[in-house]
């Protein structure tokens, strides 16, 4: 094999890539693996960038795997280099500097790209997106060097609110501007959104909903404020856009691989071109609740898809049964978990709930045909995983429905044949 | 690997396993101190579920295909290469609770006193046998390779 030829080539160096490497190496201890990433770092945990910004996680604890990971797994890494083109026929990718890499099997784990709206002033100093470690470093340096006191975060989803939390911990006053009529609208229902909104207000966070910014004002090419859709002007020296991430699928698209919103993959995570796989935020996998393909840009899905891709790339067929959206987001000390279909008001859905707004506790379970299809937990997340396990398994809960939200709900209420086989594997039973 | 197996037919719900587990995972490892003096208060990593005549003690199953390992955003949860146990490195855990979201057994808890971390069974790392097993009067918990 020539120096730049690999049996396995992986683009992107994040969780899907790591899971793929671990799967490949469990089956093939020698086949050459090369990872190319445009970020200059060894594999780190992307969700920790807000913790890095606030200082809760230091440089050393940012890394997802220890320093010996690549050596142990015999992985060659090419860091700080961007893949510019993919030639499926020649089984080759090319870097910006012209260097080419051949592969037998390729994994696209290029993740997502933050969306930046086309508005006036977006090029000013002090405007950021927030999806990679360098963003966190730049925002931190900017805040320190410019003594930033006030910021606007555009977007009240997971990333926007986690950035807000970090900024507040740094003593920056934040206004969150959200286009929809509530926070975390994609994953929460109205009650949960309201609880979170009322709670975070206590941390000097202003929340504006049904609104967006239409322009950024500058002075000496640096941000000094934001104009809102309703005409109001907010004084701020820092603007962070967190309005969403879309699959980073351009490489695949330009190479003629089938792309919808994300790269389309089959159950084995293979794209429309054989020997080319995709996993993680770039891919469009199967949503078992919506019965449709769609991007599921969350960590556990990226991990599982990467692993499935790895096994298949190594010649060990494995199928991805699909997943569904879920997340755990703690904000300023308030834990929340949501999963599946959480805001169903159509006929046919049955709602169970336990709502204590004053104590900031809310638990809700959404049922369809006696099966759990969604859940929200705010304030009290104890044993939430059991309920989410029921979503995954599609268990009929008729017999114990009344107990799902009781204080002592546990595995004991579940049908014995289910609890004995929740997770596949030797001896893993209850 | 050796795992803890549950014999629910022998469990009488005495909760000695919870007590021994809490003490084992306390600083002092002394029962009175652990319960009455320690701050943050230690947590038991085993939980007895009980309803009528049915009861069993439940702790991490140390799944072969562990969902918590893949959900952990920091890499704090991983498999010990010697024992096969699924362990949480509390120094790296940031308390995001992704593991609580994904564990279908509901056996990972929030430890919110002191540094917030996910608290789970470590099979009593370093001991010959987990203390819940050792101190179960009825062999309702056994530790073996099957
Ligand atoms: C602030 C923040 C908080 C989050 N919190 C959570 C959370 O709590 N829970 C959760 O489930 N998920 C969370 N997520 C989402 C989670 O991080 C992603 O789902 C996960 O990182 C996806 O992993 P991936 O392997 O698909 O790719 P990514 O982590 O997106 O990595 C892709 C990599 O590929 C590189 N790349 C792209 N194109 C090229 C190219 N052409 N050449 C070379 N390299 C390229 C990119 O630079 C990047 O380094 C969060 C995300 C952010 C930003």
């Amino acid at each position: 094999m020539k120096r730049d030829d690999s049996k396995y080539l992986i683009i992107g160096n994040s969780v899907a890539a790591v899971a793929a490497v671990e799967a490949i190496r469990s089956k093939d201890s020698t086949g050459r693996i090369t990872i190319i990433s445009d970020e200059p770092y060894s594999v780190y945990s992307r969700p920790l960038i807000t913790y890095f910004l606030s200082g809760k996680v230091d440089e050393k604890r940012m890394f997802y795997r220890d320093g010996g990971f690549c050596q142990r797994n015999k992985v060659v890494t090419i860091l700080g280099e961007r893949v510019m083109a993919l030639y499926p026929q020649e089984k080759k990718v090319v870097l910006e500097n012209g260097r080419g890499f051949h592969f037998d099997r390729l994994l696209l784990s290029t993740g997502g790209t933050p969306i930046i709206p086309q508005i006036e002033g977006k090029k000013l100093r002090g405007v950021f997106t927030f999806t990679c470690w360098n963003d966190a470093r730049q925002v931190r340096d900017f805040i320190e060097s410019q003594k930033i006191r006030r910021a606007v975060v555009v977007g009240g989803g997971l990333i926007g609110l986690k950035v807000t939390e970090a900024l507040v911990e740094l003593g920056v006053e934040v206004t969150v501007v959200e286009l929809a009529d509530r926070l975390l609208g994609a994953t929460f229902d109205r009650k949960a959104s309201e609880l979170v909104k009322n709670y975070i207000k206590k941390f000097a966070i202003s929340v504006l909903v049904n609104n967006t910014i239409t322009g950024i004002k500058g002075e000496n090419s640096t941000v000094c404020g934001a104009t809102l859709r309703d005409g109001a002007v907010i004084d701020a020296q820092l603007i962070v856009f967190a309005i969403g991430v879309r699959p980073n699928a351009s490489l695949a698209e330009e190479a003629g691989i089938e792309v919808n919103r994300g790269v389309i993959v089959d159950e084995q995570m293979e794209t429309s071109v054989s020997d080319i796989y995709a996993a993680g935020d770039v891919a469009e996998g199967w949503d078992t609740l919506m019965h449709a393909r769609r991007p599921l840009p969350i960590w556990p899905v990226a991990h599982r898809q990467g692993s499935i891709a790895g096994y298949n790339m190594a010649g060990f067929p494995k199928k991805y049964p699909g997943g569904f959206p879920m997340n755990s987001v703690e904000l300023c000390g308030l834990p929340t978990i949501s999963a599946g279909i959480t805001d169903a008001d159509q006929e046919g859905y049955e709602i169970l709930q336990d709502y204590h707004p004053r104590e900031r506790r809310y638990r809700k379970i959404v049922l369809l045909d006696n099966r759990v299809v969604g859940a929200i937990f705010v304030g009290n997340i104890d044993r939430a995983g059991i309920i989410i396990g029921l979503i995954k398994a599609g268990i009929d809960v008729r017999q114990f429905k009344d107990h799902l939200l009781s204080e002592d709900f546990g595995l004991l209420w579940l049908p014995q044949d289910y609890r004995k086989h929740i997770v596949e594997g030797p001896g893993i039973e209850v | 690997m050796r795992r803890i197996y549950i014999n629910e037919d022998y469990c009488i719900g005495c909760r000695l396993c919870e007590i021994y587990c809490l003490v084992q995972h306390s600083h002092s490892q002394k029962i009175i101190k652990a319960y009455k003096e320690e701050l943050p208060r230690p947590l038991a990593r085993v939980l007895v579920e009980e309803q009528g005549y049915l009861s069993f003690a439940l702790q991490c199953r140390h799944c072969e295909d562990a969902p918590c390992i893949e959900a952990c955003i920091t890499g704090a949860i991983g498999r010990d290469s010697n024992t096969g146990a699924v362990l949480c490195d509390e120094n790296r855990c940031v308390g995001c609770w992704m593991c609580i979201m994904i564990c279908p057994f509901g056996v990972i808890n929030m430890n919110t006193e002191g540094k917030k971390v996910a608290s789970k069974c470590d099979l009593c790392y370093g001991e010959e046998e987990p203390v819940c097993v050792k101190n179960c009067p009825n062999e309702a918990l056994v530790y073996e390779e099957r």
Side-chain angles (χ1 to χ4, degrees):
Chain A
M1 224 177 232
K2 289 216 309 285
R3 199 178 135 250
D4 285 347
D5 290 358
S6 306
K7 184 159 182 199
Y8 309 100
L9 181 63
I10 300 177
I11 309 178
N13 184 27
S14 185
V15 58
V18 166
V21 166
E22 287 172 349
I24 292 169
R25 279 290 173 254
S26 73
K27 298 294 182 191
D28 175 354
S29 55
T30 54
R32 188 183 172 100
I33 303 179
T34 304
I35 294 181
I36 305 177
S37 169
D38 58 2
E39 289 194 74
Y41 308 107
S42 297
V43 62
Y44 69 89
S45 293
R46 189 167 311 284
L48 291 185
I49 60 176
T50 63
Y51 296 79
F52 179 80
L53 172 62
S54 67
K56 263 195 252 168
V57 167
D58 60 13
E59 184 101 23
K60 231 175 51 234
R61 291 202 299 149
M62 283 294 287
F63 294 99
Y64 181 54
R65 287 291 182 265
D66 65 76
F69 177 79
C70 285
Q71 201 182 14
R72 263 195 325 275
N73 287 293
K74 301 190 222 54
V75 175
V76 178
T77 50
I78 312 286
L79 302 178
E81 299 280 357
R82 191 168 177 74
V83 173
M84 298 304 285
L86 158 61
Y87 302 100
Q89 239 110 57
E90 297 164 53
K91 293 197 151 184
K92 178 183 168 187
V93 303
V94 176
L95 304 185
E96 204 161 9
N97 62 17
R99 187 170 162 196
F101 291 79
H102 283 92
F103 58 84
D104 289 345
R105 272 156 226 149
L106 175 71
L107 175 63
L108 296 167
S109 58
T110 48
T113 328
I115 300 168
I116 307 172
Q118 297 306 317
I119 64 170
E120 202 191 312
K122 68 177 167 115
K123 292 262 158 71
L124 290 168
R125 221 158 69 90
V127 180
F128 298 91
T129 52
F130 210 88
T131 56
C132 63
W133 198 353
N134 277 349
D135 293 337
R137 289 176 191 278
Q138 283 166 15
V139 170
R140 199 160 87 173
D141 292 349
F142 187 73
I143 290 172
E144 275 170 20
S145 66
Q146 306 298 309
K147 313 259 179 298
I148 301 303
R149 311 293 323 157
R150 304 200 59 189
V152 171
V153 171
V154 187
L158 160 71
I159 297 179
L161 293 181
K162 288 303 279 185
V163 174
T164 299
E165 174 187 64
L167 291 172
V168 166
E169 278 164 26
L170 291 174
V172 178
E173 252 176 71
V174 183
T175 304
V176 179
V177 183
E178 167 59 48
L179 185 61
D181 61 355
R182 56 203 171 85
L183 297 177
L184 292 160
T187 49
F188 272 14
D189 72 351
R190 207 161 290 281
K191 277 185 188 153
S193 296
E194 205 59 24
L195 275 183
V196 167
K197 185 171 121 186
N198 291 335
Y199 176 72
I200 65 173
K201 277 184 177 164
K202 297 188 200 312
F203 296 83
I205 298 167
S206 318
V207 177
L208 303 175
V209 292
N210 290 314
N211 214 332
T212 187
I213 77 170
T214 50
I216 302 168
K217 299 168 73 121
E219 223 175 59
N220 304 327
S221 43
T222 307
V223 172
C224 67
T227 316
L228 300 182
R229 187 167 70 181
D230 63 12
V233 176
I234 306 178
D235 168 31
Q237 303 85 47
L238 170 68
I239 312 272
V240 179
F241 281 109
I243 55 174
V245 173
R246 62 182 158 72
N248 203 346
S250 54
L251 259 186
E253 199 163 12
E254 284 156 20
I257 295 170
E258 252 184 84
V259 171
N260 184 27
R261 274 196 289 159
V263 178
I264 295 177
V265 288
D266 63 15
E267 282 176 304
Q268 307 200 14
M269 307 313 296
E270 198 167 13
T271 67
S272 62
V273 174
S274 57
D275 293 335
I276 299 183
Y277 294 75
D281 286 10
V282 71
E284 200 164 284
W286 188 252
D287 184 324
T288 54
L289 295 175
M290 296 306 219
H291 306 289
R293 268 195 319 258
R294 66 157 161 157
L296 288 170
I298 53 172
W299 185 272
V301 167
H303 193 294
R304 176 55 54 133
Q305 292 184 343
S307 171
I308 301 275
Y311 283 115
N312 286 302
M313 289 165 76
F316 286 79
K318 258 204 186 193
K319 285 185 176 171
Y320 178 60
F324 51 90
M326 59 173 89
N327 225 322
S328 167
V329 185
E330 187 173 274
L331 288 169
C332 307
L334 182 68
T336 76
I337 285 176
S338 61
I341 302 165
T342 59
D343 196 18
D345 43 16
Q346 300 95 312
E347 211 167 301
Y349 290 100
E350 185 183 349
I351 308 289
L352 310 174
Q353 56 178 327
D354 176 37
Y355 179 50
H356 307 276
R358 254 173 298 153
E359 294 148 48
R360 270 181 234 101
R361 279 192 296 121
Y362 178 38
R363 295 182 303 151
K364 169 181 178 175
I365 293 177
V366 181
L367 303 166
L368 181 66
D369 299 330
N370 288 306
R371 288 179 165 78
V372 184
V373 293
I376 298 179
F377 301 82
V378 178
N380 174 8
I381 61 167
D382 287 349
R383 310 199 86 189
I386 300 179
I387 302 293
I388 289 164
L390 292 173
I391 303 182
K392 187 170 168 209
I395 296 293
D396 189 319
V397 299
R398 212 170 323 201
Q399 300 299 323
F400 50 96
K401 190 156 69 180
D402 297 342
H403 299 287
L404 288 173
L405 287 178
S406 66
E407 286 301 321
D408 67 342
F409 180 73
L411 289 185
L412 198 131
W413 294 99
L414 304 179
Q416 196 176 34
D417 57 339
Y418 169 64
R419 69 178 154 86
K420 291 257 175 250
H421 300 284
I422 295 181
V423 170
E424 298 286 314
I428 300 158
E429 53 183 51
V430 178
Chain B
M1 68 173 282
R2 283 170 90 191
R3 287 196 163 83
I4 299 175
Y5 292 88
I6 301 166
N7 281 324
E8 63 192 49
D9 294 344
Y10 303 152
C11 177
I12 55 166
C14 69
R15 298 179 189 261
L16 279 173
C17 51
E18 290 183 359
I19 295 171
Y20 280 96
C21 178
L22 185 147
V23 175
Q24 175 74 16
H25 293 96
S26 67
H27 278 294
S28 62
Q29 309 221 338
K30 301 222 160 49
I31 187 163
I32 308 255
K33 276 207 170 84
Y35 272 84
K36 299 253 185 209
E37 290 171 25
E38 279 190 31
L39 262 175
R41 194 167 180 180
L43 290 179
R45 288 122 193 255
V46 56
L47 166 87
V48 174
E49 290 198 17
E50 187 170 9
Q51 182 205 332
Y53 286 120
L54 180 58
S55 65
F56 52 75
L58 181 67
Q59 62 291 82
C60 170
R61 305 283 80 206
H62 300 275
C63 305
E64 195 166 69
D65 190 5
C68 57
I69 295 182
E70 72 183 23
C72 178
I73 58 170
T74 63
I77 301 186
R79 192 174 301 281
D80 185 78
S81 48
N82 296 322
T83 63
V86 175
L87 302 180
C88 177
D89 177 350
E90 297 189 356
N91 288 316
R92 294 174 66 199
C93 176
V94 295
C96 75
W97 319 129
M98 292 286 284
C99 51
I100 294 180
M101 170 186 83
I102 208 116
C103 174
F105 300 102
V107 290
I108 306 181
N109 286 307
M110 291 169 80
N111 189 347
T112 51
E113 291 186 43
K115 183 182 176 296
K116 287 186 165 188
V117 289
S119 165
K120 68 178 291 299
C121 163
D122 56 1
L123 292 176
C124 290
Y125 201 77
E127 300 284 325
E128 179 53 30
E129 196 177 40
V131 295
C132 56
V133 174
K134 199 154 111 196
N135 294 286
C136 177
N138 289 352
E139 292 179 21
L141 294 173
V142 292
Y143 186 51
E144 55 193 38
E145 178 117 36
R146 281 191 186 168

